[in-house]
Every structure is written in C-alpha cells, then in structure tokens.
Amino acid sequence: PITIKDVITVKDMPATCASKILEGFTPFYDAHLVQRLKEAGAIILGKNNMDEFAMGSSTENSAYGTTRNPWNKDRVPGGSSGGSAASVTAGQCFASVGTDTGGSIRQPASLCGCVGLKPTYGRISRYGMIAYGSSLDQAGPLTRSVKDAALMLQVMAGHDERDSTCSQEPVPDYLAALGERSDLKGLKLGMPKEFWGQEGMDPEVSRVMHQAVDTARELGAEIVDVSLPLTDYGVAAYYIVVMAEASSNLSRFDGVRYGQRDKEVSELIDMYTSSRTKGFGDEVQRRIMIGSYVLSAGYYDAYYRKASQIRRLMRDNFVDVLGQCDFIIGPVSPFAAWEIGELTEDPLKMYLMDIFTLPVNMAGLPGISIPAGMDANTHMPVGLQLIGKAFAEAPLLAAANVLEQALPDLAWGEDRFDAFKLQTT
Ligand code: GLN
C-alpha cells in the first residue's frame, strides 16, 4: 500500500498538483516510477496533498487546504511533500513517493519524523512527474525506516529512455549494501561550519544535532570540519534558478491543453489571462512573475546567469568537500514543525527554511533525512541529514541505517502512539 504525491501521474487517477488549474485533469498514463511500483506489486492507495506545483515548505499553498502534522494537528507537516510525510507518519500506508526540488522530501520527513530520501539527480526517471524546476526535480521515497527507503529506491531507480536526463548508471543492490555495515568505523563525516554555526537555527534543533554527532562518533565515525562557503548565497541562487524554470514549465497551463478554462471570455488572450489568474494560487503567480523577470532580456545576465554561475561553484564546493570526507552530516531544517499560519505572511522567511536542503539539489547529490530526536520545547521531531557523492545511495543508506538503529526511536516506538493519543483525546 503506497501513496503518491499529486505531482506524479497515476493512470486514471486525477492529478491536480494541488492547483485549481488542473481540476478535472485525469492522466491516461503512469509515471515511470509508478509503472515500476505496480510491476513490483504495489497498490496505489491514492494521491497526497502538497504545496501547489511543489512550491512551498509547509503544504499551506494547496488549493485544497492545509495538511496537518500527525504529531500535532496545529502544526505544519512541512512541504512540499507534506501530504506524503503525514500519510507515512500516520500509518496510512507502507510508504509514499514525494519529489524534492529544494528539500521537499527531506524537510517534511524531518518535520514529521519519518525517513526521506532524495536520490541523485537522474537516478529515478522524471517521466510522469509534472515539472517544477526540471534541472533540480527528483522523486524519492518517504518511509518508516531506512530499510524501506532502500526497498523503494530499488524498485524505482534505473534508466528510462523517455527522460533524457535519466541516468544509465547501473542500479546496485541497496538492501545487500545495508547488510554490509554494522557500525561507522572507517568513515569520515564532514560537518560544514556554515551548517552548524547558523545564527537562525533553533537551539533545540542544534542540541539534537550535536547529540546525533556524538552518536556517530560512538559508532566509530571520525568527525571532520569542512566548509561550504557559498551556503549563504544558496537560497538566493536557488530561488532565481527554480523560479526561472518554473515560469517556463508552467506556461503549458494555458486553459487550452489541460484542466480549467475560463469560458466567460471570448478573446484568446483574455482566455489565457483569465484561466491562469483564476487557476493559479498567489505563490505560484508570484514565482511565475519573478521567474519571467529574471529571464527577461535586460535582466538575464544580472540574475539568471549569475545564479547559474553560483550554482556551478556550489557544486564544485561539494565535490571538493566530498573528497575530504565520505558524507556530509548536518541539519535538515533550522526549525522543527512550526504552527499553521505562522509564516504564511512572510514568504522570504519560508524560503530561508530551505537553507540546508537546497544546496544538495543545486549540486545534484543524494541526501537523506532520518529522525534524530525530539525538540523539547515544541515536542516535535527533528531530522538529521546525510549527504553523499553522486550515485552513492548504497553507502549512504548503509550509514543511515546504522545511525537510525542507534538514534532514539521516536517514529515507530510506543512513544509515537502515546503522543498521537494525547493529541486526539
Ligand atoms: N521549498 C522549496 C521551494 O519552494 C522546495 C520545494 C521543493 O523541493 N519542491 O521551492
């Protein structure tokens, strides 16, 4: 029993991307990864709520209402794959599939206390994934354990000729890789000083992170200091690149080809304008406007080209750092799950929540979020992130599996159900 984020097509099930503009659209084909899951015996239970077109970090940007965090119904589940994370955490399914353009698998996994894996760019075909930022988008599993994530990746990974960016790299045996490691001896974990010294980071998140690093050390890992000097530019560069791509990708929703059309107007241009104005939510419209602006003739060099150059340097930094250590270890989100409505008036602050996740997409690398402990003030889960070299999912999963066993069991032990009962009675 599997649930699927509503940005991925499942034959004969509506695909809305949580947008009114796709209301009434039912795809007639399965995404490559859905086809693979079905072939492996999966039953697709339904589609998950999300931020409209995967734009957001809290699932509050959905045209169909906000998803609530199963640990505390007044708090956000994270986003944009918030519905996927909530469905796994609430025990509604064995696993879910989300997409991660700047953190949308890892961040909701962290905020809901489940496991979220963003594979290397190109590891899973994007065929049937409705595009947001095509050069960053990657699907991946949200699960109750690292082992389940390995199982899901095994089924979904591999070449597909319908996606020209899908890799030909052979798919290793991920489950077998888990069996090959029982501690972290011989591994170097790099702590980027820019990830650990962030002023804006919640002290409780910081405490849980330092405990997790101590655990890694006890398991035999060597902890080394590394530096990712462009971290502070990441958010700005990412939002320029992703909005530019989104403005282009979303031009296909014109009221003609899919979903909603405003039939009240008679002129073509009016029909485009009116269908898009009524169909897209505020955040999507904001991003289309900014994206069109940074690509326009007069501003392309100043914004888009500059951001692309920063992206390239960010990637080079990661390659350099991953030459000095096996994995990067760090937080997923500077805060545990916040209250519904707390950040909706401040998009810029919401964008800053992605500071630790989006560099991984800019570099195309694999990253995993695993539950590391509880924030003692909010009583919400906190996730830990491990980042690996391109196509090194097997060793990444193996290391995450060892850490998962040693870290406090918050997600699937008795505690979770007690916490859940307290919320509901
Ligand atoms: N929060 C980020 C954004 O809004 C990431 C979203 C995602 O990964 N889909 O762009």
Side-chain angles (χ1 to χ4, degrees), residues 272-301:
Y272 289 155
T273 309
S274 172
S275 300
R276 286 166 69 83
T277 303
K278 289 182 181 159
F280 290 134
D282 289 349
E283 183 61 25
V284 175
Q285 295 198 28
R286 174 166 28 240
R287 293 188 187 204
I288 291 171
M289 285 190 281
I290 298 175
S292 308
Y293 177 83
V294 299
L295 288 176
S296 60
Y299 296 103
Y300 183 92
D301 285 331

Side-chain angles (χ1 to χ4, degrees), residues 24 32 34 38 53-54 117 119 124 150 156 222 288 319 321 379 424:
H32 182 76
V34 171
K38 284 183 176 174
F53 285 104
L117 171 70
I124 297 173
M156 297 188 290
E222 184 190 340
I288 291 171
V319 170
V321 163
H379 307 289
T424 52

Side-chain angles (χ1 to χ4, degrees), residues 298-347:
Y299 296 103
Y300 183 92
D301 285 331
Y303 296 112
Y304 186 74
R305 187 185 304 280
K306 208 30 124 199
S308 302
Q309 287 167 335
I310 293 172
R311 175 182 192 174
R312 176 59 197 226
L313 291 174
M314 288 174 78
R315 182 193 159 274
D316 292 350
N317 279 170
F318 268 103
V319 170
D320 185 35
V321 163
L322 286 164
Q324 301 162 38
C325 62
D326 296 281
F327 304 108
I328 292 167
I329 188 168
V332 177
S333 164
F335 292 93
W338 53 93
E339 281 176 15
I340 289 173
E342 205 178 320
L343 297 182
T344 39
E345 298 306 316
D346 192 348

Side-chain angles (χ1 to χ4, degrees), residues 30-362:
D30 281 328
H32 182 76
L33 69 92
V34 171
Q35 193 185 324
R36 285 277 181 93
L37 286 166
K38 284 183 176 174
E39 281 163 13
I43 295 160
I44 311 300
L45 294 179
K47 311 292 286 288
N48 302 119
N49 196 18
M50 54 184 280
D51 284 298
E52 187 174 358
F53 285 104
M55 298 177 184
S57 306
S58 65
T59 315
E60 291 167 294
N61 294 337
S62 165
Y64 301 100
T66 300
T67 294
R68 291 163 187 274
N69 192 311
W71 288 85
N72 180 336
K73 289 182 281 171
D74 297 326
R75 290 182 182 267
V76 299
S80 62
S81 313
S84 301
S87 74
V88 169
T89 298
Q92 294 177 333
C93 55
F94 163 72
S96 185
V97 182
T99 59
D100 193 311
T101 305
S104 282
I105 291 175
R106 290 159 289 155
Q107 189 260 20
S110 173
L111 269 50
C112 287
C114 62
V115 172
L117 171 70
K118 181 203 101 70
T120 310
Y121 181 77
R123 183 68 297 184
I124 297 173
S125 170
R126 287 186 297 113
Y127 179 78
M129 250 172 77
I130 298 167
Y132 164 25
S134 315
S135 74
L136 301 150
D137 294 342
Q138 189 53 222
L142 291 105
T143 54
R144 290 180 266 188
S145 68
V146 173
K147 190 176 170 197
D148 291 351
L151 202 61
M152 289 288 288
L153 182 64
Q154 196 75 57
V155 172
M156 297 188 290
H159 185 62
D160 169 26
E161 60 188 19
R162 295 169 298 187
D163 169 8
S164 64
T165 60
C166 187
S167 174
Q168 309 243 10
E169 189 78 17
V171 179
D173 187 335
Y174 297 115
L175 277 182
L178 295 192
E180 281 161 19
R181 181 167 278 292
S182 56
D183 55 35
L184 299 180
K185 288 201 183 98
L187 286 183
K188 270 193 198 167
L189 303 184
M191 282 173 72
K193 64 171 191 279
E194 296 79 4
F195 277 33
W196 290 82
Q198 283 291 336
E199 284 163 27
M201 186 148 132
D202 186 274
E204 267 302 291
V205 172
S206 177
R207 180 189 60 78
V208 173
M209 288 299 103
H210 280 100
Q211 267 177 5
V213 168
D214 290 343
T215 306
R217 211 180 267 117
E218 283 158 23
L219 289 164
E222 184 190 340
I223 311 293
V224 295
D225 291 324
V226 294
S227 173
L228 291 167
L230 292 171
T231 301
D232 279 349
Y233 299 94
V235 174
Y238 164 84
Y239 276 97
I240 289 172
V241 170
V242 84
M243 291 185 196
E245 293 190 16
S247 72
S248 166
N249 277 325
L250 270 58
S251 64
R252 61 168 63 84
F253 304 107
D254 55 3
V256 177
R257 282 170 279 197
Y258 316 86
Q260 281 301 295
R261 171 184 305 181
D262 187 353
K263 299 198 180 76
E264 319 253 289
V265 289
S266 52
E267 296 297 323
L268 181 65
I269 298 291
D270 293 345
M271 190 279 289
Y272 289 155
T273 309
S274 172
S275 300
R276 286 166 69 83
T277 303
K278 289 182 181 159
F280 290 134
D282 289 349
E283 183 61 25
V284 175
Q285 295 198 28
R286 174 166 28 240
R287 293 188 187 204
I288 291 171
M289 285 190 281
I290 298 175
S292 308
Y293 177 83
V294 299
L295 288 176
S296 60
Y299 296 103
Y300 183 92
D301 285 331
Y303 296 112
Y304 186 74
R305 187 185 304 280
K306 208 30 124 199
S308 302
Q309 287 167 335
I310 293 172
R311 175 182 192 174
R312 176 59 197 226
L313 291 174
M314 288 174 78
R315 182 193 159 274
D316 292 350
N317 279 170
F318 268 103
V319 170
D320 185 35
V321 163
L322 286 164
Q324 301 162 38
C325 62
D326 296 281
F327 304 108
I328 292 167
I329 188 168
V332 177
S333 164
F335 292 93
W338 53 93
E339 281 176 15
I340 289 173
E342 205 178 320
L343 297 182
T344 39
E345 298 306 316
D346 192 348
L348 212 52
K349 203 163 173 196
M350 193 85 92
Y351 298 168
L352 285 167
M353 292 293 173
D354 304 327
I355 185 162
F356 304 129
T357 48
L358 60 82
V360 182
N361 301 72
M362 294 289 261

Side-chain angles (χ1 to χ4, degrees), residues 362-403:
M362 294 289 261
L365 301 173
I368 189 166
S369 169
I370 59 171
M374 295 297 277
D375 175 329
N377 295 328
T378 59
H379 307 289
M380 298 304 284
V382 176
L384 170 80
Q385 182 172 215
L386 286 182
I387 302 161
K389 298 180 181 70
F391 298 102
E393 283 86 358
L396 180 71
L397 286 160
N401 183 49
V402 171
L403 258 174

